[in-house]
């Protein structure tokens, strides 16, 4: 099964492994579009729990359709990821591939869901009609450390549609978000608009991040990373904010 290290996939992996034991494997995709911290977590989680784990290196930036970042970018990406996952399954003699989307995912524009269905990949949490809040409750009950983990999406989602994606700017965004999170903000997005960084944090953290000392520290760091202008979204973090122009 596909394992990103997020709340939903960690819960699903725990259930699948408890049920199938060694008759399954977790699959994590390694690419510049995925935060390194998340991939490190997947390695440590699988090692700690004795879960078979495979890493697939994906050259997603070598795909011109993906890099061009049209509104169906997520479809292109999911096709590439899960086609590779299915190929690995064939080699390992595994006939079923599953992933951790939940029912809430239909509330946003997610063209990747179409690719998942086309390839016959299973989404057990959707089939069970489970919501994000259900996964948090069940994860806490199971003692999973991810029960209160903020939602995470690939770094390409920080780019406005039609703005080409490149590795340098992916790293800028990744390092900016990691820096702000280490300052004590659990939910962070740094959206890229040319040379502008638009920071989103939880609405309740807006007052905290505008404190003079933190504001100056963040401004200095993001300027060093290559951003010319550093701004704060007064609405706060909101899922799929880059989709507002197409919905």
């Amino acid at each position: 099964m596909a394992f990103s290290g997020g709340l939903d996939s960690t819960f699903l992996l725990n259930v699948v492994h408890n049920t199938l034991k060694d008759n399954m494997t977790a699959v994590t995709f390694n690419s510049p579009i995925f935060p390194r911290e998340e991939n490190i977590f997947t390695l440590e989680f699988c090692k700690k729990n004795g879960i078979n784990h495979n890493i697939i290196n994906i050259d997603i930036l070598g795909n011109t359709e993906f890099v061009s970042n049209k509104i169906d970018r997520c479809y292109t990406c999911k096709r590439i990821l899960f086609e590779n996952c299915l190929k690995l399954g064939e080699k390992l003699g595994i006939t079923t591939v599953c992933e951790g989307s939940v029912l809430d995912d239909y509330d946003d524009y997610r063209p990747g869901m179409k690719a998942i269905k086309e390839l016959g990949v299973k989404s057990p949490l959707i089939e069970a009609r489970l919501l994000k809040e259900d996964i948090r409750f069940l994860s806490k009950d199971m003692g999973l450390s991810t029960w209160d983990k903020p939602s995470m999406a690939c770094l390409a989602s920080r780019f406005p549609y039609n703005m080409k994606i490149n590795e340098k700017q992916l790293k800028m965004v990744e390092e900016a978000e990691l820096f702000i999170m280490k300052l004590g903000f659990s939910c962070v997005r740094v959206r890229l608009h040319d040379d502008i960084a638009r920071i989103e944090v939880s609405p309740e953290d807006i007052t905290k991040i505008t404190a003079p000392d933190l504001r100056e520290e963040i401004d200095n760091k993001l300027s060093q990373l290559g951003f010319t202008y550093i701004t704060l979204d007064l609405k706060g973090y909101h899922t799929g904010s880059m989709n507002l122009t197409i919905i």
Side-chain angles (χ1 to χ4, degrees):
M1 66 153 283
F3 179 42
S4 67
L7 165 69
D8 305 321
S9 70
T10 302
F11 168 77
L12 180 59
L13 176 59
N14 192 59
V15 172
V16 171
H17 181 247
N18 287 343
T19 304
L20 299 178
K21 307 301 181 187
D22 290 337
N23 294 317
M24 56 79 61
T25 186
V27 176
T28 299
F29 303 109
N30 181 43
S31 166
I33 66 172
F34 299 120
R36 288 165 290 180
E37 293 288 315
E38 294 296 291
N39 278 11
I40 290 171
F41 172 82
T42 66
L43 288 167
E44 294 176 345
F45 184 86
C46 288
K47 183 178 181 179
K48 178 181 177 181
N49 293 281
I51 300 173
N52 296 326
H53 191 204
N54 282 268
I55 308 293
I56 301 179
N57 294 316
I58 303 290
D59 180 24
I60 195 74
L61 298 182
N63 183 282
T64 55
E65 286 186 30
F66 177 85
V67 170
S68 65
N69 195 22
K70 304 301 181 184
I71 62 171
D72 61 348
R73 178 202 70 236
C74 189
Y75 172 84
T76 300
C77 183
K78 293 297 186 186
R79 286 286 312 194
I80 293 170
L81 296 182
F82 283 103
E83 283 174 354
N84 277 273
C85 197
L86 288 164
K87 288 178 182 177
L88 175 63
E90 289 179 8
K91 291 180 181 179
L92 298 176
I94 295 174
T95 58
T96 301
V97 172
C98 61
E99 59 87 43
S101 295
V102 293
L103 206 57
D104 307 60
D105 291 330
Y106 284 118
D107 294 339
D108 192 15
Y109 173 68
R110 295 184 183 264
M113 300 297 290
K114 179 183 176 183
I116 288 170
K117 288 184 178 180
E118 288 176 352
L119 293 170
V121 174
K122 304 295 183 182
S123 302
L125 303 182
I126 290 179
E127 293 179 18
R129 310 293 292 175
L130 291 172
L131 300 168
K132 185 78 69 177
E133 64 181 47
D134 299 321
I135 304 303
R136 292 199 185 281
F137 175 83
L138 293 169
S139 294
K140 187 175 183 180
D141 189 59
M142 288 179 174
L144 295 173
S145 63
T146 49
W147 74 270
D148 62 346
K149 190 172 185 177
S151 297
M152 181 57 68
C154 85
L155 296 170
S157 66
R158 315 310 196 254
F159 289 64
Y161 293 116
N162 298 313
M163 178 180 175
K164 288 189 176 181
I165 298 170
N166 64 75
E167 189 166 1
K168 178 184 176 182
Q169 290 178 313
L170 285 169
K171 288 182 177 178
M172 286 170 59
V173 169
E174 180 180 9
E175 290 184 33
E177 291 187 352
L178 184 59
F179 177 79
I180 296 171
M181 284 189 280
K182 287 184 176 179
L183 291 176
F185 298 90
S186 60
C187 183
V188 179
R189 294 289 187 274
V190 176
R191 312 287 188 183
L192 185 69
H193 300 270
D194 295 320
D195 58 350
I196 300 173
R198 175 169 59 88
I199 301 170
E200 295 178 10
V201 294
S202 299
E204 58 269 23
D205 281 337
I206 289 178
T207 301
K208 176 182 175 182
I209 202 171
T210 55
D213 55 338
L214 281 179
R215 195 174 69 226
E216 183 177 358
E217 192 173 355
I218 292 169
D219 181 74
N220 288 338
K221 177 62 176 180
L222 270 61
S223 294
Q224 291 172 12
L225 290 175
F227 295 101
T228 304
Y229 303 102
I230 295 90
T231 67
L232 177 66
D233 191 320
L234 297 181
K235 187 175 182 179
Y237 167 69
H238 42 118
T239 302
S241 69
M242 288 303 200
N243 294 331
L244 295 177
T245 59
I246 61 171
I247 295 178

